[in-house]
Amino acid sequence: GEVATMMDVPITKVISVCMSLGIMVTMNQRLDAETLTIVADEFGYEVEFITTDIEEAIQVVEDKEEDLVHRAPIVTVMGHVDHGKTSLLDYIRKENVIAGESGGITQHIGAYGVTLDNGQKIAFLDTPGHEAFTAMRARGAQITDIAIVVIAADDDIMPQTKEAINHAQAAGVPIIFAINKVDKPTANPEKIKERLAGMNLLVEDWGGKIQSHDISAKTGLGVKDLLEKVLLEAEILDLKANPEKAAVGTVVEAFLDKGRGYISTVLVQGGTLKLGDYVLAGKHHGKVKAMHDERGNSIKVAGPSTPISILGLDGAPTAGDKFSVFQDEKEAKQIAAKRTQLMREQSVRTQRHITLAEIGRRIALGQFKELNIILKGDVDGSVEALSDSFSKLSTEEIQINIIHKGVGAITESDVLLASASDAIIIGFNVRPSASARQLADKEEIDIRNYSIIYDAIDDLKDAMEGMLSPEM
Ligand code: GDP
């Protein structure tokens, strides 16, 4: 409809051109770039695409190999509720203080850094859980290098343990298991490892490659060794950054302090942030008036993998917003204004995520190679049956990935994962919660509900062949 108006031709003509291309559309349907180009060409128009990716507007400095130096790993702690995520983060916060510095970390700024005895550093994100992790990813920010998945040894692999594992894997972030609460007499770490093996997750003791360590977040037993393993994993990942450039990074949290103004915690990912730098973060900007670390110390420079709270922005950016430093204040302000405008337009215009109805067309256009599916069902049997059948539908052209499956209602966390991984959600005899439904509408995530296994399989098959009839 919108395209027809722009070209000043009847809507029916646009629809019939689409039909002649084998594309069934309605007037409210959005067309992808290729289709738009072809349709416009039919009417003698040329399409000019204006980038909505604002990051392109910002000059990306390519780092030279010789400028890169090692940087500390950035770690997120995940796991089932009550398995000890907070306790672990608290223990590390209290015990691992920089040599010679008295007292632990006093400020909660959303992230903190620790220095081990050997001088090596690790940065922790202080909001545990895979929801926060995936919410960041859904906003286009991946800052976590390594995920510690905490599992209570006196319990079992629980639904949120599985979720955490799947969310980390969907992001391609390596996992280290922390088998917790081994101080308890009822703890059975071997059972946990056996269960993990049953899920095809082989830890070292079981001859696998995944690191794991038995710990007690309460007594601190094994925590130091766990951190050593984090450093080992980091070494394998060969994490590097260029400290010698204007800083870039991601916002971890931000809030308004009544006395001091907007305080934002950022994680520097490249370059070095300096006092007095002019910063653009999301749609907010300002000169860095003060910087503090998690110990409340005033800081003048912050290099890669350093979490730091800054004072001076003209508002509170959102967690997951990127930040960058500008030489020129005017330029930063212009980009901030452009971003605000683009965000407004983007929210009404773009179709951001894949839908089942779109798949066939995208496959036909040859650019769609992988379909990510999140599968939720009422019982384990049907989830497994569907997951098997879906996987078997993979063809040479398209690979089907079940990035997460589980028993229970479709939750916000599922929708976030779909958004972060461009997946569709299939529910079998389960419905989304009200909040999940709302989020799915906002993020434009396709949720399909089925109660007959063959219907689900047929729909997916039809969609892949571009034969799915539009939903009524
Ligand atoms: P979270 O929900 O994963 O953040 O879990 P918490 O850190 O809040 O821990 C849940 C409960 O388990 C709390 O009562 C903790 O004191 C307890 N807990 C955590 N770690 C350990 C541990 O290593 N040993 C024992 N005995 N209790 C623990």
Side-chain angles (χ1 to χ4, degrees):
E2 217 176 309
V3 180
T5 315
M6 277 195 238
M7 299 190 299
D8 198 19
V9 298
I11 291 172
T12 47
K13 284 207 172 164
V14 173
I15 293 181
S16 67
V17 168
C18 288
M19 277 171 75
S20 70
L21 295 167
I23 306 166
M24 304 306 240
V25 291
T26 65
M27 65 172 283
N28 295 321
Q29 194 164 329
R30 293 157 221 260
L31 304 176
D32 57 40
E34 282 70 21
T35 317
L36 262 179
T37 310
I38 299 168
V39 171
D41 187 52
E42 284 287 316
F43 295 96
Y45 284 93
E46 201 178 312
V47 182
E48 188 193 338
F49 292 97
I50 333 171
T51 176
T52 50
D53 186 359
I54 26 233
E55 298 323 316
E56 281 177 28
I58 296 173
Q59 235 189 343
V60 180
V61 187
E62 279 287 328
D63 293 315
K64 285 195 226 97
E65 187 60 39
E66 64 262 31
D67 295 334
L68 295 176
V69 297
H70 279 285
R71 65 168 180 84
I74 300 163
V75 176
T76 298
V77 176
M78 308 182 189
H80 194 73
V81 63
D82 282 347
H83 277 197
K85 301 179 288 294
T86 314
S87 304
L88 177 60
L89 279 165
D90 282 348
Y91 182 84
I92 297 170
R93 190 200 329 272
K94 283 198 205 97
E95 296 304 319
N96 285 72
V97 289
I98 296 176
E101 191 153 356
S102 59
I105 298 162
T106 48
Q107 327 265 319
H108 274 268
I109 63 170
Y112 65 80
V114 295
T115 309
L116 306 194
D117 293 342
N118 59 12
Q120 286 184 287
K121 292 184 175 179
I122 303 175
F124 284 90
L125 291 172
D126 209 1
T127 317
H130 56 276
E131 292 89 351
F133 167 83
T134 298
M136 281 259 195
R137 274 184 68 224
R139 296 189 52 79
Q142 176 144 333
I143 47 182
T144 301
D145 299 307
I146 296 165
I148 293 181
V149 174
V150 179
I151 310 174
D154 64 338
D155 200 359
D156 205 337
I157 310 284
M158 297 300 279
Q160 286 172 53
T161 316
K162 282 189 196 160
E163 271 189 38
I165 293 168
N166 291 340
H167 281 228
Q169 285 182 334
V173 171
I175 294 171
I176 299 177
F177 289 109
I179 319 265
N180 191 29
K181 306 197 188 184
V182 294
D183 59 288
K184 284 190 158 185
T186 48
N188 187 354
E190 282 315 303
K191 183 188 90 181
I192 302 293
K193 289 171 204 170
E194 187 182 338
R195 291 266 200 279
L196 287 171
M199 294 165 66
N200 237 339
L201 296 161
L202 284 181
V203 299
E204 289 161 314
D205 298 358
W206 279 66
K209 290 214 176 76
I210 308 173
Q211 301 201 75
S212 96
H213 205 79
D214 296 355
I215 64 158
S216 164
K218 193 174 169 187
T219 68
L221 180 86
V223 174
K224 213 170 144 192
D225 300 317
L226 175 73
L227 299 185
E228 296 286 338
K229 290 192 172 176
V230 168
L231 289 174
L232 197 68
E233 193 74 43
E235 217 168 281
I236 299 166
L237 292 172
D238 196 22
L239 305 168
K240 284 179 175 170
N242 172 11
E244 305 293 337
K245 63 175 185 183
V248 290
T250 303
V251 175
V252 176
E253 67 172 42
F255 64 95
L256 178 63
D257 179 283
K258 277 219 175 96
R260 297 190 293 164
Y262 290 100
I263 300 181
S264 318
T265 297
V266 300
L267 196 76
V268 179
Q269 291 173 282
T272 299
L273 186 63
K274 303 187 189 78
L275 210 59
D277 274 349
Y278 204 88
V279 167
L280 170 68
K283 48 186 184 165
H284 297 289
H285 53 91
K287 197 184 217 139
V288 180
K289 285 193 231 147
M291 297 202 285
H292 290 96
D293 66 11
E294 62 284 325
R295 290 166 176 82
N297 299 320
S298 182
I299 299 284
K300 290 201 174 73
V301 291
S305 294
T306 311
I308 199 98
S309 87
I310 63 172
L311 212 67
L313 291 185
D314 68 345
T318 313
D321 278 346
K322 303 244 171 39
F323 82 85
S324 35
V325 166
F326 280 76
Q327 303 301 335
D328 182 22
E329 182 172 333
K330 218 171 97 192
E331 196 189 352
K333 281 183 182 160
Q334 273 170 2
I335 293 184
K338 208 183 214 167
R339 272 190 180 164
T340 312
Q341 187 195 348
L342 278 170
M343 279 176 194
R344 215 169 20 231
E345 286 174 12
Q346 243 176 1
S347 65
V348 288
R349 273 170 196 269
T350 44
Q351 163 134 13
R352 294 171 46 214
H353 296 290
I354 188 71
T355 64
L356 204 54
E358 274 256 321
I359 291 163
R361 221 148 45 84
R362 290 226 209 151
I363 296 172
L365 287 166
Q367 323 144 301
F368 196 65
K369 304 261 179 287
E370 277 181 288
L371 171 61
N372 291 334
I373 295 179
I374 293 167
L375 181 59
K376 295 299 282 282
D378 56 344
V379 289
D380 215 32
S382 49
V383 171
E384 289 308 319
L386 269 173
S387 144
D388 276 357
S389 309
F390 284 163
S391 301
K392 282 190 195 128
L393 292 179
S394 289
T395 64
E396 251 172 51
E397 284 79 40
I398 183 154
Q399 165 82 30
I400 298 197
N401 304 320
I402 311 287
I403 58 168
H404 175 57
K405 60 184 175 192
V407 173
I410 296 159
T411 63
E412 273 177 89
S413 146
D414 296 327
V415 177
L416 279 175
L417 181 61
S419 177
S421 306
D422 201 14
I424 60 167
I425 301 177
I426 292 185
F428 187 76
N429 281 334
V430 290
R431 301 242 146 217
S433 66
S435 54
R437 178 82 264 166
Q438 257 173 12
L439 187 63
D441 285 346
K442 186 167 150 264
E443 298 283 320
E444 299 185 17
I445 298 298
D446 194 9
I447 300 184
R448 297 266 169 164
N449 299 298
Y450 295 95
S451 48
I452 298 170
I453 288 194
Y454 293 105
D455 284 352
I457 297 168
D458 282 348
D459 268 10
L460 189 57
K461 231 193 259 169
D462 288 351
M464 288 170 66
E465 286 161 9
M467 311 270 283
L468 190 75
S469 43
E471 248 187 325
M472 290 303 144

